[in-house]
Amino acid sequence: MTRREKMNETKIGKQIRQYRKDKKMSIKDFSKICGISTALVSQLERGIGNPSLNVLKLIARTLGTSLASLFAEEIDNAMLIRRKSERERIRNPNEKDAVYYGLTPGPLKSNVELLLMSLKPNGETNHGFSRHFEEEIAYIVEGEATMVFEDGEFELQEGDTIRILPSRRHKLKNPSEKNVLVLFIKSKVSF
C-alpha cells in the first residue's frame, strides 16, 4: 500500500468517525445504515481496511457526499482560482466556427463545468445538431445569437439565458457581423 492510499484510507476513516460523532451513532448503527459490516467500519476508522469500490459508493451515499470527495486532499484555496491567462482552449474539430475555453477552476473534477465560447460572425456551433446527455445553461455575455432546436428558433440578446435539457438536439447561430460570447454551465453526468 502506498503512502497516498494510506492517507486516503485514514481520511475516509476520519470522515466516518466524524459523521458518526455528529449523528451520535455507534459503529453498529452506521454499519446497518450503510450496509457494510461493523468489522469493516472499525477497520476503516483505524485506517487499516481495504474497501472495494462498491463499499466506497455505499459510504459516500451514507455520508451524503460524492465518491471523489472521499479522496479529496486538503486543497489550498489558491488552487481553486483559474486565471484568465490559464484558460484551457478547447477546440472541437466538428465545430469550425466556435472556440471554447475551460473556466472551471481547481484540481478536482466537478459535477459542474463552466465554459466560455466565442462564436465567429455568421457562424454556428454545428452544421448539424448537437445532443448532450447533460443539462446545459447558456448565458449570452456579449452579442446576439439564435438558439435552434429541431422544432423552433429563439432569438437571444446579451444578458439572456436559456436552459438546454438533456438529449435536446440544438445548435447556436451567430447571425451578426461580430463575435458572440456565450457562457455555458454544464452539469456533468455522474455514475
Side-chain angles (χ1 to χ4, degrees), residues 14-178:
K14 286 179 182 177
Q15 289 180 57
I16 293 170
R17 189 178 308 109
Q18 187 62 50
Y19 179 86
R20 286 193 317 99
K21 182 180 174 186
D22 292 346
K23 302 286 184 180
K24 297 178 176 44
M25 285 183 171
S26 67
I27 287 178
K28 186 176 180 181
D29 295 335
F30 183 84
S31 169
K32 195 173 192 176
I33 291 170
C34 193
I36 60 177
S37 73
T38 55
L40 182 54
V41 174
S42 177
Q43 289 174 354
L44 291 171
E45 285 193 6
R46 292 181 285 140
I48 59 173
N50 189 12
S52 68
L53 180 59
N54 286 335
V55 167
L56 291 171
K57 287 179 181 177
L58 291 170
I59 291 169
R61 186 191 70 213
T62 302
L63 297 178
T65 190
S66 69
L67 190 58
S69 70
L70 291 177
F71 298 98
E73 296 176 32
E74 293 298 320
I75 296 173
D76 181 10
N77 287 333
M79 296 173 70
L80 301 175
I81 299 169
R82 176 165 275 180
R83 303 285 180 198
K84 183 177 180 180
S85 62
E86 299 169 338
R87 286 183 185 165
E88 174 187 4
R89 185 181 170 136
I90 303 165
R91 195 163 220 354
N92 181 339
N94 298 325
E95 296 188 24
K96 305 284 186 227
D97 297 333
V99 176
Y100 295 85
Y101 298 92
L103 303 179
T104 309
L108 297 174
K109 296 292 181 194
S110 175
N111 292 332
V112 176
E113 184 178 18
L114 192 60
L115 297 168
L116 182 64
M117 180 193 68
S118 177
L119 186 57
K120 290 180 181 177
N122 300 304
E124 56 186 60
T125 53
N126 266 337
H127 295 290
F129 286 99
S130 291
R131 184 164 70 181
H132 309 286
F133 296 105
E134 66 271 353
E135 185 174 349
E136 294 179 285
I137 296 174
Y139 171 77
I140 308 300
V141 176
E142 190 175 289
E144 299 175 2
T146 304
M147 180 59 73
V148 182
F149 294 103
E150 288 181 305
D151 61 353
E153 295 186 5
F154 300 89
E155 302 299 320
L156 301 170
Q157 306 294 317
E158 191 170 304
D160 290 347
T161 304
I162 187 166
R163 179 177 238 146
I164 306 161
L165 298 176
S167 298
R168 282 282 155 99
R169 295 170 54 82
H170 65 282
K171 65 181 169 180
L172 199 61
K173 288 183 176 180
N174 177 359
S176 75
E177 298 297 324
K178 297 179 181 176

